[in-house]
């Protein structure tokens, strides 16, 4: 999933930038793991949230999220990579 973070971030950003006050639907089969990981990656990059902040933000709105361990590891790596790039 890591390899899709930049492309999905760019797409979400493009849509929200070009169409103010519109929502972007990010979905997967159960709506608890894969789609949530994509949204977390977006929040980390475009809204300068930490992974934990992004998870808490989403969990307040969708309590049933359950991101699998592999995706969480990829998100942690993504967060570290972005932090290193900004230093």
């Amino acid at each position: 999933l890591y390899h899709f973070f930049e492309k999905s971030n760019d797409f979400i950003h493009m849509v929200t930038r070009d169409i103010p006050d519109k929502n972007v639907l990010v979905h997967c089969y159960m709506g608890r793991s894969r789609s949530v990981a994509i949204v977390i990656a977006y929040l980390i990059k475009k809204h300068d949230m930490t992974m934990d902040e992004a998870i808490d933000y989403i969990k307040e709105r969708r309590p049933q999220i359950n991101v699998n361990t592999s995706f969480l590891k990829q998100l942690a790596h993504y967060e570290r990579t972005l932090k290193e790039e900004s230093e």
Side-chain angles (χ1 to χ4, degrees), residues 37-49:
I38 293 294
V39 174
I40 291 169
Y42 174 77
L43 293 172
I44 290 170
K45 176 138 189 193
K46 300 295 184 178
H47 292 274
D48 297 318
M49 291 186 183

Side-chain angles (χ1 to χ4, degrees), residues 1 26-40 55 58-59 62-69 71-72 75:
L1 199 59
V26 181
H27 63 93
C28 61
Y29 183 68
M30 295 295 289
R32 297 188 334 204
S33 185
R34 186 170 294 127
S35 59
V36 176
I38 293 294
V39 174
I40 291 169
I55 290 170
I58 295 169
K59 199 170 267 194
R62 188 168 175 77
Q64 66 270 36
I65 70 167
N66 185 23
V67 182
N68 80 42
T69 306
F71 294 160
L72 289 173
L75 286 161

Side-chain angles (χ1 to χ4, degrees), residues 2-67:
Y2 182 90
H3 300 290
F4 295 102
F5 289 162
E6 288 300 315
K7 187 173 183 176
S8 60
N9 286 345
D10 291 344
F11 177 78
I12 294 168
H13 181 70
M14 175 192 67
V15 171
T16 58
R17 180 196 66 215
D18 293 344
I19 309 170
D21 300 323
K22 294 294 179 183
N23 296 318
V24 176
L25 176 62
V26 181
H27 63 93
C28 61
Y29 183 68
M30 295 295 289
R32 297 188 334 204
S33 185
R34 186 170 294 127
S35 59
V36 176
I38 293 294
V39 174
I40 291 169
Y42 174 77
L43 293 172
I44 290 170
K45 176 138 189 193
K46 300 295 184 178
H47 292 274
D48 297 318
M49 291 186 183
T50 66
M51 183 177 76
D52 291 334
E53 289 170 340
I55 290 170
D56 290 343
Y57 179 83
I58 295 169
K59 199 170 267 194
E60 288 175 12
R61 289 149 180 82
R62 188 168 175 77
Q64 66 270 36
I65 70 167
N66 185 23
V67 182

